[in-house]
Amino acid sequence: MADLVILAAPGMGAVDERFAEPLFRSLAAALGDDWSRVYTDTILCQSHLQPNIERLFEATQKRDMDYLRARKFMLYGLSEAASQLGDIQSRGGNYEKTQQAVYQTFERAAKEAGDTTPVILLSHSVGCTILSNYLWDAQRSTINHGIWRDGGPKGVHKGSAKDLFLRGKALSHWYTLGACAPLWHGAMPREQIQAVTSDTRGYNFRWKNFYHPDDLFGWPLKPLSPSYNQAVYRDFETRPLSDWSATSWGPQLVAHDGYWQSEMVQQNLLQDIREVLQKNRGRRPSPMQRATAAAI
């Protein structure tokens, strides 16, 4: 059994199962032997949308268009976001399929690491919205859409350790990278903009949000509303506007993809991982204890 679970959800763009590998390699190098105490997995929550988006993009290339890479980036991002709301009430629709992918990743982690193991959740871009929807629904006592309708998937006793784990109540930290929530909430009155809770209803995790000041899709979250201000521990600016090397760049799409390599993100993550592992050092028996138990 592991002492910590780290789950990573990608952002906009084509699904790449290896998107988190550079970050995981960096963490492994920094943690040394302690990395063996960590279970990692990726939440590929939008893979069912890729064939349709690719088909549409290929069809449009029969016409003259400029900025194809930027267009494809925008097509993926906005299509993935729109898919979450278009059939939210439908059983088996895109919203439910996306949540099912998240649920199955948590389910694998519960099986491999144990359903009381603390979790650090990393999400990027539209992945932040998807995980926010998942947690929001899981935190409701009743819900009429998604996988948590009717009390949640069958076969898991409500209130059991596994149920609590699958609902995200083992979360110790949530990192949102380049979160685009303001783009979807901006037209709402401030008092109606509600965040998932990080410190009530059985949840107790630290929510850290990272944004690049030139990233058109990455935003600070605490100013959104009193609810977000309370739920989010801190908004981290990954690059100060005073940085002379970036002052001439202006708004850009490139910055949206740099969070996984951000030194600030990695330093925070390493500190939090070490803290969680230190608290859970006694959870798993030592090799000598395991050998002794096996001989009895």
Side-chain angles (χ1 to χ4, degrees):
M1 292 292 182
D3 292 324
L4 173 64
V5 170
I6 300 179
L7 303 179
M12 299 178 183
V15 175
D16 180 1
E17 296 182 4
R18 301 166 297 174
F19 73 92
E21 284 185 5
L23 175 62
F24 289 160
R25 283 198 298 269
S26 178
L27 295 175
L31 289 168
D33 291 342
D34 274 346
W35 185 245
S36 65
R37 301 169 59 197
V38 181
Y39 169 87
T40 63
D41 202 354
T42 52
I43 307 174
L44 303 180
C45 41
Q46 296 282 65
S47 57
H48 61 283
L49 301 175
Q50 185 165 328
N52 289 335
I53 298 175
E54 286 289 339
R55 174 189 51 77
L56 177 59
F57 183 72
E58 291 298 324
T60 60
Q61 291 191 66
K62 298 175 182 178
R63 303 288 187 268
D64 287 335
M65 292 191 302
D66 290 330
Y67 310 110
L68 287 180
R69 291 180 66 182
R71 285 179 180 272
K72 189 172 187 179
F73 176 84
M74 294 290 289
L75 177 65
Y76 261 96
L78 298 183
S79 296
E80 289 168 350
S83 73
Q84 294 303 296
L85 300 178
D87 60 0
I88 190 171
Q89 301 293 341
S90 301
R91 293 183 183 273
N94 285 321
Y95 185 89
E96 193 164 296
K97 286 179 180 177
T98 297
Q99 288 204 335
Q100 189 66 39
V102 178
Y103 182 91
Q104 289 172 348
T105 309
F106 271 89
E107 201 169 34
R108 284 196 302 271
K111 181 179 179 180
E112 296 296 326
D115 52 23
T116 60
T117 307
V119 177
I120 293 180
L121 187 60
L122 315 173
S123 58
H124 176 223
S125 181
V126 71
C128 302
T129 302
I130 290 169
L131 268 298
S132 179
N133 289 340
Y134 180 90
L135 291 172
W136 176 272
D137 291 354
Q139 291 178 354
R140 308 273 80 77
S141 57
T142 58
I143 199 81
N144 62 0
H145 58 261
I147 64 167
W148 297 110
R149 76 171 97 211
D150 304 326
K154 306 301 181 185
V156 179
H157 181 67
K158 191 171 183 179
S160 65
K162 184 175 181 180
D163 177 63
L164 300 180
F165 185 91
L166 296 173
R167 291 177 183 270
K169 292 191 177 184
L171 271 180
S172 66
H173 297 80
W174 183 19
Y175 279 55
T176 49
L177 315 174
C180 48
L183 300 179
W184 319 123
H185 296 320
M188 298 171 62
R190 196 162 184 259
E191 63 274 10
Q192 292 183 14
I193 300 176
Q194 298 294 313
V196 301
T197 182
S198 60
D199 59 359
T200 60
R201 302 183 182 182
Y203 291 82
N204 184 22
F205 61 88
R206 179 161 287 185
W207 181 351
K208 294 184 176 182
N209 179 57
F210 297 81
Y211 72 99
H212 190 297
D214 294 328
D215 176 12
L216 294 176
F217 289 92
W219 292 70
L221 297 181
K222 289 181 76 68
L224 262 176
S225 69
S227 175
Y228 269 91
N229 184 52
Q230 178 178 337
V232 177
Y233 168 70
R234 181 178 167 186
D235 289 315
F236 293 83
E237 190 178 88
T238 60
R239 191 164 194 169
L241 282 174
S242 58
D243 187 342
W244 66 269
S245 64
T247 53
S248 62
W249 293 0
Q252 55 184 286
L253 297 178
V254 176
H256 191 63
D257 200 35
Y259 295 98
W260 298 107
Q261 292 81 38
S262 166
E263 183 177 349
M264 178 181 288
V265 172
Q266 293 191 20
Q267 286 177 348
N268 272 269
L269 191 52
L270 277 170
Q271 180 179 338
D272 290 333
I273 289 173
R274 288 180 173 129
E275 181 180 321
V276 174
L277 289 178
Q278 180 63 33
K279 288 180 179 178
N280 289 276
R281 186 164 295 279
R283 277 174 44 90
R284 192 170 57 170
S286 67
M288 178 65 72
Q289 289 173 318
R290 289 197 296 268
T292 301
I296 295 174

